[in-house]
């Protein structure tokens, strides 16, 4: 119960972080976040009550993990915690919230709080239970979908904040795939879960630092030392060699069983698409313009530099030989493709409109309205002409 109460309090308290700026967009984003959060909390509450009933009123994790959850309970646990993890279809609160939340708050949302959903799965799902193999396949499918959905949607963004938001969806797909592998191959669950926890810690540090660095750019402009730090963080998130990303991805892939070769290839492909995302992010950051620079205190800059130092040092301290050289091929291919696209855009410039794209539903509604209006403009005069002709014919017939 203490876990549930703490998880609920954390989710509800974040409403104030999203609505902090008090603008109309912030209030809309906060309301949407609150609706999704309350829906998730209600599902989790029902799941906890049903678990307690299933275990004769016991409310300890050791008792809850001693048996296989019922199918409906399992579904509610996956959805309830999946909302916090922003799984595809459950992510609709995230992009708008990340766009309006102040930088320090969005660093917390994207770094620590989004990983709370993974902690919930680790607490409630009995690892190593052979009866959950099918649910592991479901999580694998959801995770792989999230990896590439987040990457593709992120590449289409024109705001660096929203790009980082969709990259979080992609990275949560990696964590979901790891949790799915732990359930799908129960014999390797302890090793896979340990690797997933390491990857989650890496993502929390790097993504939080990326948002804090973006906040420095939004306040002061792109200074050379900030740009160097952002390039380092982008490489770390992509999993470039000699970074925490390479270490985390190496530990995760090495923990998977021999029958998971397709998953290993897909994780390598995720490093490739994340590299493309990070190049796009750096490109968008360079185009940011600050109208009225407002320098931050020295303490804020010092804290960010210290965070960069922690991210740079901790994999070197704990990594074993060869674990820092993973992902070299997909990251290199991602950088190479990005350079080719940039060179091609210079030789063959394409004019891209800056007008924001309308949502598909709104576009269909507008087209339908125009079509109805055109139809009315055409049909009404024709009907009036036919009515007039009918009246003339009727008068002639009477005469």
């Amino acid at each position: 119960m203490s876990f549930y109460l703490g998880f609920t309090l954390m989710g509800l308290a974040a409403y104030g972080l999203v609505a902090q700026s008090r603008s109309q967009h912030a209030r809309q984003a906060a309301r949407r976040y609150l609706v999704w959060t309350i829906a998730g909390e209600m599902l989790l509450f029902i799941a906890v009550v049903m678990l307690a009933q299933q275990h004769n009123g016991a409310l300890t994790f050791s008792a809850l993990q001693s048996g296989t959850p019922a199918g409906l309970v399992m579904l509610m646990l996956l959805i309830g915690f999946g909302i916090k993890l922003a799984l595809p279809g459950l992510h609709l609160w995230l992009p708008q919230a990340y766009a309006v939340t102040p930088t320090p708050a969005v660093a917390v949302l994207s770094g620590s709080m989004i990983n709370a959903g993974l902690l919930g799965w680790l607490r409630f799902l009995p690892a190593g239970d052979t009866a959950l193999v099918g649910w592991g396949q479901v999580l694998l499918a959801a995770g792989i979908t999230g990896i590439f959905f987040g990457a593709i949607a992120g590449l289409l963004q024109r705001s660096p904040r929203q790009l980082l938001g969709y990259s979080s969806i992609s990275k949560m797909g990696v964590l979901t795939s790891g949790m799915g592998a732990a359930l799908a191959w129960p014999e390797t669950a302890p090793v896979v879960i340990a690797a997933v926890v390491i990857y989650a810690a890496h993502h929390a540090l790097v993504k939080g630092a990326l948002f804090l660095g973006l906040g420095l750019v939004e306040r002061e402009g792109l200074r050379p030392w900030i740009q160097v730090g952002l390039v380092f963080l982008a490489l770390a998130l992509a999993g470039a060699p000699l970074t925490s990303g390479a270490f985390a991805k190496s530990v995760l892939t090495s923990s998977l069983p021999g029958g998971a070769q397709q998953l290993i290839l897909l994780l390598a492909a995720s490093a490739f698409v994340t590299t493309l995302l990070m190049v796009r992010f750096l490109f968008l950051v360079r185009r940011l313009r600050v109208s009225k620079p407002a320098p931050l205190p020295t303490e804020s800059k010092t804290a960010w530099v210290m965070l960069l130092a922690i991210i740079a040092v901790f994999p070197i301290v704990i990594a074993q030989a060869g674990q820092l050289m993973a992902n070299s091929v997909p990251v290199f291919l991602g950088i190479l493709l990005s350079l080719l696209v940039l060179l091609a855009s210079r030789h063959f410039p394409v004019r891209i409109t800056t007008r924001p794209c309308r949502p598909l539903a709104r576009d269909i509604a507008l087209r339908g309205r125009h079509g109805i209006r055109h139809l009315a403009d055409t049909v009404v005069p024709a009907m009036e002409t036919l009515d007039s002709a009918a009246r003339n014919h009727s008068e002639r017939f009477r005469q």
Side-chain angles (χ1 to χ4, degrees), residues 9 15 48 53 66 87 89 107 115 120 144 175 188 196-197 201 216 274 277 280 297 309 317 327 336 339 346 357 379:
L9 180 63
Y15 172 85
V48 169
Q53 183 182 13
S66 62
L87 294 184
N115 288 320
I144 293 170
L175 295 180
T188 62
V196 168
V197 171
L216 291 175
T274 303
L277 268 178
R280 171 72 173 166
V317 173
N327 294 331
L336 179 61
L339 292 176
R346 289 185 177 182
C357 296
V379 172

Side-chain angles (χ1 to χ4, degrees), residues 101-270:
T101 305
T103 301
V106 77
V108 175
L109 283 174
S110 63
S112 303
M113 293 181 64
I114 196 171
N115 288 320
L118 173 67
L119 180 61
W121 283 346
L122 295 177
R123 284 284 188 264
F124 282 88
L125 303 185
D129 191 343
T130 56
L132 299 180
V133 172
W135 289 106
Q137 299 292 337
V138 172
L139 281 182
L140 281 172
I144 293 170
T145 303
I147 290 173
F148 295 101
F149 165 75
I152 295 172
L155 288 172
L156 300 176
Q157 301 305 309
R158 299 176 184 174
S159 165
R161 272 174 169 261
Q162 291 195 333
L163 185 147
L164 289 180
Y166 279 103
S167 75
S168 292
I169 296 174
S170 180
K171 289 303 177 183
M172 290 306 102
V174 175
L175 295 180
T176 303
S177 299
M179 192 66 197
L183 297 180
W185 291 280
E187 66 278 2
T188 62
V191 181
V192 174
I193 288 176
V196 168
V197 171
I198 292 175
Y199 196 94
H202 146 73
H203 175 265
L205 288 172
V206 175
K207 185 55 67 67
L210 274 170
F211 271 110
L212 292 175
L214 179 60
L216 291 175
V217 177
E218 292 173 345
R219 290 286 297 269
E220 299 187 6
L222 187 59
R223 306 289 180 86
W225 66 276
I226 299 177
Q227 186 173 8
V228 171
L230 289 177
V231 170
F232 164 70
L233 292 172
L235 290 173
L237 192 68
L242 304 178
T243 65
S244 61
F247 168 67
K249 186 63 72 66
S250 175
V251 172
L252 181 59
T253 54
S254 62
S255 68
L256 297 175
Q261 291 301 320
Q262 293 181 349
L263 179 59
I264 293 175
L265 291 176
L266 290 172
L267 291 178
S270 73

Side-chain angles (χ1 to χ4, degrees), residues 248-338:
K249 186 63 72 66
S250 175
V251 172
L252 181 59
T253 54
S254 62
S255 68
L256 297 175
Q261 291 301 320
Q262 293 181 349
L263 179 59
I264 293 175
L265 291 176
L266 290 172
L267 291 178
S270 73
F272 171 75
V273 295
T274 303
T275 304
L276 299 179
L277 268 178
M278 289 299 99
V279 174
R280 171 72 173 166
F281 167 74
L282 295 174
F283 173 76
L284 293 175
V285 168
R286 285 183 59 87
R287 299 182 63 182
L288 280 179
R289 296 293 180 265
V290 181
S291 57
K292 296 181 179 179
L296 288 170
T298 305
E299 293 81 1
S300 300
K301 302 174 185 177
T302 304
W304 188 63
V305 173
M306 292 176 62
L307 183 56
L308 292 180
I310 293 174
I311 295 171
V313 170
F314 97 84
I316 298 176
V317 173
I318 64 177
Q320 299 178 359
Q323 288 184 329
L324 292 177
M325 298 306 297
N327 294 331
S328 56
V329 174
V331 172
F332 171 77
L333 292 177
I335 294 175
L336 179 61
L337 178 60
S338 301

